[in-house]
């Protein structure tokens, strides 16, 4: 018995020394991540003269009863009229798009159309048709249920996608996941066109055609990452985010934001706040003042789940981009704890990590208290920058694993968040190497406002 007790004490001491959570034992085979060539079938241009391409949708209002539909025509502007109708009905409505173009160094874009459809019915399947007069194409989407506290809804989560062979596997895994996501929360870094000489904007076009197979049928909620900045003064490009803002619109004005990089939406039982890691966020900046007013507006009796999207993670135990989010954390983390944010999703680090519920808000310069501590009013921070882009995986982790880190793994993948009701949501992360239904990391989350139970994994 004494030998048994000794073994138990030894194991407890080892666990105490390790401090952190789980570093996955799964080791992905080391392979170079390569972009798919321009003639890959996933980049195929749709047939027909001036056929619409790069079709994608996002939420167009504050509650999900509006949709922004975007598409590109290459040969000429073509029709700016969009037709839409409820499935199995004959009443066809019309809406008109605004058309824009841009130049980037030696590249000239196609004709980019953005059309907002408003006053849709909840939980309803709609068809829409674009490209009238030449080569029309038809797609569909389903509106979310009306906003309410116990409305179930499933989100997909993807970040740092790019357009490599691994990116294609990630998107396929998301599409084939039996837990069907209805809306993608995308945490930034889209095309990685800036990794090519002169930020080759043809790679924005190929990326738009690549994701169309998902983004034309369900909204992708956009977050701007560092690869969207496209600031290249040496070739005369001094306006940040030019390709991104021309191609990917957001409903930022509906939440009284002054820029498309930070905004909020309601969807089913979730209130989603999108922040910009690469816009000014210090005190008195527009983003700071907006968030200061936005958080008190969240009615947790209407939308219990408070979710934040950003690009640069605040809690990160990889030796990549370490502490890049620290200044934003210092500014905003006390608000996240005060208003009981449930979950924060970020990208940037090309790997996966889930934190414990921790905060690091006690430090006030003179007290020396500057370590994250367990805090059940704090969010869980999830890094999901593992979409599969050409820069490859972040494989170098800090050792020992810090106490705030619950689970981490250097693999490509995606996640789903299945909100059940106002108190519970089921979360799962799926690595690309597994079958579509396999969950490499999973967690039941308790709502911080309605059911602040302990949901730590350690």
């Amino acid at each position: 018995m004494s030998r048994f007790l000794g073994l138990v004490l030894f194991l407890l001491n080892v666990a105490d020394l390790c401090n952190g959570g789980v570093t996955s034992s799964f080791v992905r085979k080391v392979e170079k991540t390569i972009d798919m060539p321009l003639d890959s079938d996933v980049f195929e241009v749709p047939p027909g003269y001036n056929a619409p391409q790069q079709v994608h949708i996002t939420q167009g209002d504050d509650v999900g009863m509006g949709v922004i539909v975007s598409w590109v025509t290459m040969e000429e502007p073509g029709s700016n009229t969009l037709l839409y109708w409820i499935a199995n009905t004959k009443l066809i409505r019309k809406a008109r798009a605004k058309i824009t173009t841009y130049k980037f160094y030696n590249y000239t874009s196609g004709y980019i159309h953005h059309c907002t459809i408003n006053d849709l019915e909840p939980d309803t399947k709609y068809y829409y048709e674009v490209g009238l007069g030449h080569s029309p194409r038809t797609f569909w989407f389903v509106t979310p249920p009306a906003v309410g506290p116990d409305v179930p809804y499933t989100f997909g989560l993807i970040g740092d996608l790019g357009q490599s062979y691994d990116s294609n596997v990630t998107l396929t895994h998301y599409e084939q996941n039996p837990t069907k996501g209805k809306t993608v929360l995308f945490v930034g870094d889209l095309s990685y066109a800036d990794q090519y000489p002169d930020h080759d904007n043809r790679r924005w076009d190929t990326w738009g055609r690549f994701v169309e197979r998902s983004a034309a049928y369900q909204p992708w909620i956009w977050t701007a990452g560092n690869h969207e900045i496209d600031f290249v003064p040496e070739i005369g490009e001094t306006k940040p985010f030019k390709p991104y803002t021309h191609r990917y619109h957001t409903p930022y004005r509906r939440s009284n934001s002054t820029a498309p990089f930070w905004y909020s939406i309601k969807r089913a039982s979730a209130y989603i706040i999108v922040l910009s890691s690469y816009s000014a966020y210090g005190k008195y900046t527009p983003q700071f003042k907006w968030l200061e007013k936005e958080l008190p507006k969240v009615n947790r009796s209407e939308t219990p789940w408070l979710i934040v999207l950003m690009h640069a993670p605040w809690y990160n135990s990889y030796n990549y981009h370490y502490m890049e989010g620290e200044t934003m954390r210092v500014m905003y983390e006390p608000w996240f704890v005060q208003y009981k944010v449930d979950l924060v999703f970020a990208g940037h680090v090309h790997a996966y990590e889930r934190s414990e519920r921790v905060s690091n808000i006690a430090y006030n310069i003179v007290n020396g208290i500057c370590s994250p501590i367990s805090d059940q009013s704090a969010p869980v921070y999830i890094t999901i920058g593992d979409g599969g882009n050409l820069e490859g995986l972040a494989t170098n982790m800090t050792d020992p694993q810090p106490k705030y880190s619950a689970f981490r793994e250097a693999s490509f993948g995606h996640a789903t968040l299945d909100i059940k009701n106002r108190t519970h949501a089921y979360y799962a992360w799926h690595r690309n190497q597994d079958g579509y239904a396999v969950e490499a990391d999973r967690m039941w989350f308790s709502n911080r406002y309605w059911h602040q139970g302990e949901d730590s994994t350690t």
Side-chain angles (χ1 to χ4, degrees):
M1 178 64 75
S2 61
R3 292 178 65 185
F4 173 75
L5 287 174
L7 177 61
V8 170
L9 289 171
F10 171 77
L11 291 174
L12 288 173
N13 286 331
V14 169
D16 187 58
L17 288 170
C18 289
N19 286 326
V22 174
T23 296
S24 172
S25 60
F26 180 86
V27 178
R28 182 182 184 271
K29 182 181 178 182
V30 177
E31 297 172 319
K32 186 173 176 58
T33 305
I34 302 170
D35 267 357
M36 294 177 284
L38 291 172
D39 60 357
S40 297
D41 57 355
V42 296
F43 301 148
E44 188 175 7
V45 175
Y49 175 75
N50 208 40
Q53 57 172 271
Q54 306 173 51
V55 182
H56 58 271
I57 64 175
T58 192
Q59 186 156 316
D61 69 351
D62 53 337
V63 295
M65 298 306 117
V67 171
I68 301 172
V69 181
S70 304
W71 69 97
V72 178
T73 54
M74 300 305 288
E75 285 83 4
E76 59 174 274
S79 173
N80 69 339
T81 299
L82 176 147
L83 304 180
Y84 66 103
W85 62 95
I86 295 175
N88 302 316
T89 66
K90 295 182 179 180
L91 179 61
I92 297 177
R93 296 180 172 89
K94 295 182 180 180
R96 295 202 177 275
K98 294 181 179 179
I99 303 174
T100 185
T101 62
Y102 73 92
K103 292 181 183 294
F104 192 95
Y105 188 51
N106 59 2
Y107 168 90
T108 300
S109 75
Y111 301 91
I112 305 166
H113 302 64
H114 299 287
C115 179
T116 302
I117 311 170
N118 287 310
D119 301 319
L120 302 174
E121 296 182 16
D123 204 13
T124 301
K125 185 174 185 177
Y126 283 86
Y127 287 88
Y128 66 97
E129 185 174 294
V130 292
L132 307 181
H134 288 306
S135 304
R137 299 181 69 199
T138 303
F139 304 88
W140 57 264
F141 60 83
V142 178
T143 53
V147 169
D150 289 301
V151 178
Y153 201 75
T154 306
F155 293 99
L157 291 137
I158 300 174
D160 299 69
L161 184 58
Q163 46 195 305
S164 72
Y165 291 100
D166 291 297
S167 312
N168 194 27
V169 176
T170 297
L171 191 54
T172 301
H173 266 67
Y174 172 67
E175 292 167 319
Q176 299 298 324
N177 190 329
T179 302
K180 293 299 181 186
K182 300 173 182 176
T183 293
V184 170
L185 304 180
F186 191 87
V187 296
D189 283 1
L190 285 69
S191 72
Y192 287 80
D194 65 341
Q195 295 297 95
Y196 287 82
D198 302 324
H199 292 219
D200 186 352
N201 272 227
R202 293 178 301 166
R203 280 291 179 175
W204 278 102
D205 292 321
T206 54
W207 195 83
R209 295 196 292 270
F210 166 51
V211 300
E212 180 188 89
R213 70 198 209 208
S214 172
Y217 297 94
Q218 60 177 249
W220 285 39
I221 308 304
W222 302 110
T223 308
N226 57 299
H227 286 281
E228 280 70 76
I229 297 174
D230 284 307
F231 177 74
V232 206
E234 58 269 28
I235 60 173
E237 293 298 338
T238 58
K239 184 178 180 181
F241 299 103
K242 186 197 284 187
Y244 173 74
T245 52
H246 277 82
R247 293 171 181 270
Y248 294 94
H249 280 194
T250 65
Y252 68 98
R253 291 188 179 91
R254 298 300 290 261
S255 55
N256 298 315
S257 170
T258 55
F261 313 113
W262 59 88
Y263 61 98
S264 70
I265 60 169
K266 303 173 189 175
R267 199 163 186 89
S269 50
Y271 200 105
I272 298 161
I273 291 177
V274 178
L275 296 179
S276 177
S277 300
Y278 303 97
S279 302
Y281 50 74
K283 200 165 187 179
Y284 308 124
T285 61
Q287 184 169 198
F288 179 97
K289 291 192 290 185
W290 175 82
L291 185 60
E292 187 176 33
K293 292 179 180 178
E294 184 68 16
L295 284 166
K297 287 165 41 180
V298 181
N299 179 359
R300 304 295 280 271
S301 296
E302 178 189 52
T303 48
W305 291 91
L306 180 51
I307 299 167
V308 176
L309 311 180
M310 62 181 67
H311 188 63
W314 292 357
Y315 288 92
N316 164 33
S317 69
Y318 289 81
N319 291 318
Y320 301 81
H321 307 303
Y322 183 63
M323 293 187 75
E324 284 185 20
E326 184 65 8
T327 53
M328 186 183 239
R329 183 197 66 76
V330 170
M331 296 297 300
Y332 294 163
E333 188 181 24
W335 289 347
F336 283 20
V337 174
Q338 176 185 350
Y339 293 101
K340 293 182 169 61
V341 172
D342 292 291
L343 298 162
V344 177
F345 293 99
H348 202 37
V349 177
H350 298 163
Y352 174 73
E353 185 166 22
R354 171 174 54 81
S355 80
E356 301 289 1
R357 292 197 183 277
V358 293
S359 69
N360 189 10
I361 59 177
Y363 179 60
N364 65 7
I365 295 180
V366 296
N367 63 13
I369 301 171
C370 55
S371 297
I373 61 169
S374 177
D375 187 340
Q376 288 303 311
S377 291
V380 168
Y381 294 88
I382 295 175
T383 299
I384 191 148
D386 54 355
N389 67 80
L390 80 167
E391 290 183 334
L393 282 168
T395 56
N396 193 327
M397 305 174 187
T398 60
D399 186 29
Q401 184 174 3
K403 200 170 184 179
Y404 61 74
S405 176
F407 183 92
R408 60 186 185 177
E409 180 177 314
S411 290
F412 292 132
H414 76 279
T416 56
L417 178 66
D418 190 6
I419 295 174
K420 303 296 186 182
N421 51 41
R422 75 181 67 193
T423 60
H424 287 87
Y426 185 73
Y427 167 83
W429 174 68
H430 301 259
R431 72 167 73 90
N432 286 355
Q433 274 66 36
D434 294 333
Y436 299 130
V438 175
E439 299 170 343
D441 183 36
R442 65 185 70 86
M443 187 78 190
W444 276 101
F445 288 123
S446 298
N447 186 270
R448 294 300 89 189
Y449 184 88
W450 287 101
H451 188 73
Q452 192 171 313
E454 170 77 41
D455 60 9
S456 171
T457 52
T458 56

